[in-house]
Structure formats: structure tokens, C-alpha cells
Amino acid sequence: MTPALRPKLAKALSVGGLHPREIQIREFRLKDYDSVLELWLEAGFHFRPGDRKDEVAKKIKRDPELFLVAEQQGRIVGAVMGAWDCRRGWVYHLAVAPKEQRRGVGTLL
């Protein structure tokens, strides 16, 4: 995280009642797949062929910076997958664990 981003992150977290050190935003790793899939299903997402592990592996190889997770005490509590076609960007699969909703996790992602 860049030094310029730290105060903005702290402000965003304090609005939702989180302490900046409680949540870590990082790039998705393939070993996170099962936890993220569970989160997606808990959030009510419909599993699609593009959500298979092999398809997600292709996605993170292509643009890993567009798939982020929010981690709290070693547990994934949020995830977002994005896409960009060099002109437009999309947000796909934004999910936050029900117990962590309304605390600013989605905003951080």
C-alpha cells in the first residue's frame, strides 16, 4: 500500500467502525478459491462456468490486481472481482460476509 493511500484507508475504515489494522486488502491467491467460493455462495451468487477454479486461475494470471480479498484475522470476509477492456471497467462478484456487512468492507474493496 502506498503511503498516500494509508490516511484515506484509515478514514474509510473509521466511517464503517473498523480499525485500519483489522482488515487487510490484498490480491486474491488461488489458494483462497475455496474460501471465496463459499463466500460467493453464502452471498447468493449463482455459480457459473467462469467461476470454476481453472477459469479463475486464467483470470488471475491475466490481471491479478483486479481480484481482491478483504482478510480479517486470517479469514476472508470479502472479495471483489473486476474486469477492464482498456476502455471500461466492471465490478463482478462483490461479496461481504453477512456478519461484516455495513462496516465499510465493501467500500474498501
Side-chain angles (χ1 to χ4, degrees):
M1 179 183 314
T2 65
L5 188 56
R6 287 189 192 281
K8 293 177 184 176
L9 177 62
K11 182 179 179 184
L13 285 168
S14 66
V15 169
L18 294 172
H19 188 275
R21 294 190 180 145
E22 286 183 28
I23 298 287
Q24 177 190 10
I25 304 296
R26 63 170 175 78
E27 289 180 3
F28 169 89
R29 300 177 197 125
L30 202 53
K31 70 179 185 176
D32 299 325
Y33 180 80
D34 290 341
S35 296
V36 170
L37 178 60
E38 185 177 326
L39 179 68
W40 287 344
L41 295 174
E42 184 179 19
F45 293 170
H46 297 285
F47 189 82
R48 308 230 186 262
D51 298 331
R52 291 189 330 253
K53 192 173 188 175
D54 62 321
E55 293 297 322
V56 170
K58 291 177 195 175
K59 198 272 185 280
I60 62 170
K61 185 175 183 181
R62 185 175 54 249
D63 45 17
E65 68 281 357
L66 296 179
F67 194 163
L68 303 174
V69 297
E71 193 174 50
Q72 182 178 33
Q73 298 176 346
R75 185 174 68 92
I76 293 177
V77 296
V80 64
M81 184 188 304
W84 182 59
D85 71 359
C86 297
R87 287 187 312 136
R88 297 169 295 213
W90 292 269
V91 174
Y92 295 108
H93 290 6
L94 173 59
V96 176
K99 291 182 180 179
E100 303 304 325
Q101 291 176 2
R102 307 236 183 263
R103 296 187 64 215
V105 176
T107 300
L108 288 172
L109 287 167

